[in-house]
Amino acid sequence: MAETIPAAGATTEGAIQVGQPRDARVSAPASYDVADFPVPNGREEEWRFTPLERLRGLHDGTAVATGGGVKVEVSAPAGVIVETVGRDDARVGKAGKPVDRVAAQAYSAFEKAGVVSIPKDAVLSEPVRISVHGQGGVAFGHQVVEVGAFAEAVVVIDHTGDATVAANVEYLIGDGAKLTVVSIQDWDDTAVHAAQHTALIGRDATFKSVVVTFGGDVVRLHPRVLYGAPGGEAELYGLYFTDEGQHQEHRLFIDHDTPHCRSNVAYKGALQGRDAHAVWIGDVLIRAEAEGTDTYELNRNLVLTDGARVDSVPNLEIETGEIVGAGHASATGRFEDEQLFYLMARGIPADEARRLVVRGFFAELIQQIGVADLQERLLEKIDAELEASVV
Amino acid sequence: MATLEIHDLHVSVEAENGPREILRGVDLTVKQGETHAIMGPNGSGKSTLAYSLAGHPKYTVTGGTVTLDGEDVLAMSVDERARAGVFLAMQYPVEVPGVSVSNFLRTSATAIRGEAPKLRTWVKEVKEAMERLHMDPSFAERNVNEGFSGGEKKRHEILQLELLKPKIAILDETDSGLDVDALRIVSEGVNRVRESGEVGTLLITHYTRILRYIKPDHVHVFAAGRIAESGGPELADKLEAEGYEAYVKGGASA
Ligand SMILES: Nc1ncnc2c1ncn2[C@@H]1O[C@H](COP(=O)(O)OP(=O)(O)O)[C@@H](O)[C@H]1O
Ligand SMILES: [Mg+2]
């Protein structure tokens, strides 16, 4: 039995596949060693949308760490343990292996890993803040966030400045724990940032990820979710605002390999300007053993001007019929002239009306996140971004 | 005294086989304090007139003039027209996802009044206006027109009318789709604005029903893209009795 259900949208492709090879999007097996991956040439499934020539050598071994390429600062409420450890630390690499050449390059090249541990049962009243500030150099990074059983934490990772960075971020989420991570890519428009985010979700644990990408010349993020035990829940939210000349790529993979886990994905992007390029890949695999899975993924794009391009590829592979639900939606639309007219007919000038519509488009997603003061801050960020850009 | 003057207005839309003329020479003058009912069969061009006055980009003016106190309305952008005092209550109000009613109203009032209304008085003003229209306070937190019932959409339009206080109000089938209660509430809202004596009203409708609540000074029959006959309130009674047939026969087909 094979069925293919194409998704709607002009620059959108997608399918629900049954019984397809699970590694269809990966050209080499996962490995910690960069030498196990051939240098990509751009024809591989996982590289075909990426402008390799703009990766500044992160993909072919020519990028060399400059030392002090980025400055990392961590501030955490009392009780949280913040460490810098060697690569032999047992927690490093525990969530999963790098799955592409750049992630493996980062893994092979980093010197010290940052580890933030939230002890068992701790409920943090303040977020942990990790600031990654680019200082113009090349850096390979590794960060682990470990949340003990039944602990609850919010971690905010802010990326600013200019740098060429490849990194791995691991989230180890203990049984019954709740982790919310906000990763903001607010880079200068010259930065190059490629990272794999791997979350390993414990029994009945909850992982909420909010990825916000505004800046960078090239940003290529690869959030991955694995379930270590039944009852886990992942909510992955994302928003991006892709301006003229920017390439912003978000490639998600959720591996439902464990029964009775849930995942919900919602990513929204707005694009404007010539050669603004957004790529969204949503791979969800429901393995034969993952009965009782409930998953939904959505990607929406709003194209504000001519010359911008979106590639949106949801992909759901289902190997068991014993599931609660599985679905996806992907749509890419042009700016709604009727909305603009309605607002302008109430005296609101065109540029302000456009900002309101785009803000509303993102606000719809932000309203779903369900962490009140976070929502406020994200809306402020959106406002600032919209204020700064022409639209 | 504010006066809207429409003279020999011709408007086309882009259809599959090229431009198609919908309005074929509309002449109408609406003065502040007056209420004009425009009545006509479906497809006669009533909404086209309303949208053209508001400046919807889909409609191309191919001839004629529209002035508000001598100012060329057709030269203004959509938002300029609104700020000049033209208000269109739409037949089909548009959903704006993620934008709350309260944010929308305040942004709009700020644009129309030229300065942000003082927060305290504004909150009170909106609250009272909503109460008069029997709208639940929670309404303000909903997204504009999203999931609104037909009646809620029309109340929301009239709420804006009351808050924005235009010189010329164009109400496009505000009555359609309303039950008797909602029709009464919405009509009362329109009448409150009319009683100020500061608005000229263009009441577009297909049915005579709303004229029981809102008494027009003038009634115009709209057919085939122009005004076919004008008269006083008695013309509405004639239409109620005889329908539009006499006007449709006279060459409504495009
Ligand atoms: N965008 C459009 N393209 C083609 N025809 C249109 C368009 N808009 C309106 N029309 C046509 O113009 C005529 C008048 O429409 P409308 O102004 O909506 O009439 P009314 O409001 O009186 O029912 C109708 O025949 C309608 O089909
Ligand atoms: Mg109409």
Side-chain angles (χ1 to χ4, degrees), chain A residues 91-272:
Chain A
R91 294 167 294 189
V92 173
K94 194 172 162 190
K97 294 174 183 169
V99 296
D100 68 30
R101 165 118 189 162
V102 174
Q105 175 69 70
Y107 199 95
S108 299
F110 82 87
E111 285 178 3
K112 293 278 182 198
V115 178
V116 169
S117 321
I118 294 109
K120 183 169 168 299
D121 297 319
V123 176
L124 303 189
S125 53
E126 283 286 305
V128 175
R129 295 179 187 285
I130 303 176
S131 144
V132 180
H133 185 71
Q135 298 181 310
V138 178
F140 297 100
H142 198 101
Q143 179 70 49
V144 178
V145 175
E146 182 191 31
V147 187
F150 300 103
E152 293 180 20
V154 175
V155 176
V156 179
I157 309 178
D158 249 312
H159 300 89
T160 55
D162 172 42
T164 300
V165 182
N168 289 281
V169 184
E170 301 185 71
Y171 304 111
L172 302 169
I173 306 157
D175 293 350
K178 288 188 165 64
L179 174 64
T180 298
V181 176
V182 185
S183 180
I184 301 170
Q185 288 64 243
D186 206 1
W187 296 107
D188 294 349
D189 287 346
T190 43
V192 173
H193 179 201
Q196 177 173 326
H197 298 175
T198 311
L200 180 59
I201 303 179
R203 187 179 185 94
D204 301 327
T206 302
F207 175 57
K208 199 179 277 198
S209 152
V210 183
V211 168
V212 182
T213 302
F214 291 145
D217 175 44
V218 178
V219 172
R220 186 179 188 275
L221 300 182
H222 195 161
R224 293 169 65 83
V225 169
L226 312 170
Y227 298 89
E233 173 158 4
E235 289 175 64
L236 308 187
Y237 299 104
L239 36 104
Y240 43 91
F241 196 105
T242 315
D243 273 313
E244 181 169 342
Q246 288 183 312
H247 177 93
Q248 296 176 340
E249 180 167 348
H250 298 89
R251 316 178 59 87
L252 284 69
F253 177 61
I254 299 178
D255 190 350
H256 278 284
D257 57 353
T258 309
H260 304 292
C261 291
R262 287 189 299 275
S263 58
N264 181 40
V265 175
Y267 268 62
K268 280 187 155 191
L271 294 90
Q272 67 170 1

Side-chain angles (χ1 to χ4, degrees), chain A residues 336-350 352 356-357 359-361 363-364 367, chain B residues 51 56 78-79 82-83 87-88 90 95 97-99 103-104 107-108 111-112 144-146 157 160:
Chain A
E336 257 275 19
D337 289 335
E338 292 301 324
Q339 295 177 353
L340 198 61
F341 172 73
Y342 188 69
L343 297 173
M344 288 177 72
R346 299 302 179 247
I348 301 170
E352 198 179 348
L356 260 183
V357 172
R359 184 186 197 273
F361 173 77
E364 245 200 335
Q367 283 161 7
Chain B
Y51 277 126
H56 195 293
V78 176
D79 53 315
R83 292 198 298 273
F87 177 86
L88 168 61
M90 286 180 214
E95 291 183 8
V99 176
N103 184 13
F104 166 67
T107 308
S108 170
I112 298 274
V144 173
N145 291 318
E146 209 176 51
E157 294 293 286
Q160 296 166 53

